[in-house]
Structure formats: C-alpha cells, structure tokens
Amino acid sequence: MSVISMILLFVATFVGMEAFAWAMHRYVMHGPMWDWHRSHHEPRGGVLEKNDLFAVVFAAPAIVLIALGLHVWPWALPAGLGVTAYGLVYFIFHDGLVHRRFPTGIDGRSPFWRRRIQAHRLHHAIRTRENCVSFGFLWVRSARALKAELAHKLGSSRSGA
C-alpha cells in the first residue's frame, strides 16, 4: 500500500468518524445506552462519569484495526490510526476545552471553537434524552439555527405535537 493511499485512508477515516460519532451520539447514546450517557448530562460528582465507558468501547475497534494493520492487512493501520486520532481530538477538545475537565492551553475564543462550544452547550441545555440538538462535534450548525430548532422542539413537546 502506497504512502499516499495510507494518508488518504487515514484522512477519510478521521472525517468519517464525525458521521459515525454523530449517529452513535444521536441514536445510541440518546437511545438504548442513555443509562451510560445520562451521567454526561448531569453534574459530575467526581473525576469520572459513567459516560467515560464509551471511550473504552470506542477504543477497542481502533486497537484491533491497528493490530491487524501491523500484522495482517496493511490498510487497517491507517484506518485504526484515523479512529484513534479522532478520539484524541475529541477527548482534548470535548473533555478539555468544552467541559474543562483538564487544562488544554487552547484559547477557545476563536470563531471556530466558539461555534463548537456554543453548539455543545445548546446540546446540554436539555438534561433528558429527548429534544436535544447538535449531536456532532467538529461539524456543527450555527447557534442561531440550533436555538431555533431547540425552541421548535420544546414548543412542540409542550403543545403535545
């Protein structure tokens, strides 16, 4: 496998992880696995929360892909590294920058990060699994659009629609 192919596969996997993460967050974490994810929508009582178990679950396929890439299928290595890179970026910026669980040294006041922080805070405006907005992390809609969607959802749920 050429270096260019490996780089392209790494980038494609990293980018594809955003769609995967969105779907997992929307349909699994706010669905059948709400019992774990709920802890992320409630005040944290310690260093860890039950939601942190998802990091372990999502790391397992990356580890398997990297091992397979080193020993069996070369294409699996850049895919596993792409999954790992996305997880690292997510951890640093979500847990560090957005939720301030540890210092990142990154100024979150740039328009790029401010938009993501606002979107995630709007996601956390609701503490239940229903009526949330903004399930992605790197690609998010504007705060204005998310506020309008949230207002619509809350208005619809109150009116019984």
Side-chain angles (χ1 to χ4, degrees):
M1 180 170 223
S2 74
V3 172
I4 297 294
S5 297
M6 292 180 87
I7 291 170
L8 290 173
L9 184 53
F10 170 86
V11 171
T13 303
F14 182 91
V15 170
M17 281 302 298
E18 177 70 1
F20 176 79
W22 182 93
M24 290 299 291
H25 190 187
R26 171 67 183 91
Y27 296 109
V28 175
M29 294 175 173
H30 280 257
M33 295 301 293
W34 176 249
D35 184 53
W36 284 12
H37 188 60
R38 178 188 301 120
S39 66
H40 187 60
H41 284 262
E42 298 171 342
R44 192 171 349 100
V47 176
L48 297 175
E49 55 191 42
K50 202 171 191 179
N51 184 69
D52 293 335
L53 291 170
F54 284 114
V56 177
V57 170
F58 295 146
I63 293 167
V64 169
L65 283 168
I66 290 169
L68 288 171
L70 290 172
H71 302 290
V72 182
W73 302 307
W75 62 264
L77 179 62
L81 293 174
V83 172
T84 301
Y86 182 87
L88 181 61
V89 168
Y90 184 90
F91 174 70
I92 291 169
F93 296 112
H94 175 264
D95 291 319
L97 185 62
V98 176
H99 287 289
R100 303 185 187 275
R101 291 176 72 176
F102 57 86
T104 63
I106 298 168
D107 179 3
R109 293 179 293 192
S110 73
F112 179 84
W113 289 117
R114 193 173 35 225
R115 181 176 175 133
R116 277 131 198 91
I117 291 168
Q118 287 174 330
H120 199 71
R121 288 195 176 138
L122 286 167
H123 175 76
H124 281 274
I126 304 295
R127 288 201 177 173
T128 63
R129 66 195 246 178
E130 294 87 16
N131 297 320
C132 284
V133 296
S134 191
F135 294 93
F137 184 66
L138 294 176
W139 287 272
V140 296
R141 295 179 11 236
S142 71
R144 175 179 289 161
L146 293 170
K147 286 178 185 177
E149 180 184 351
L150 186 58
H152 174 76
K153 283 183 172 191
L154 293 176
S156 295
S157 68
R158 287 187 186 123
S159 66

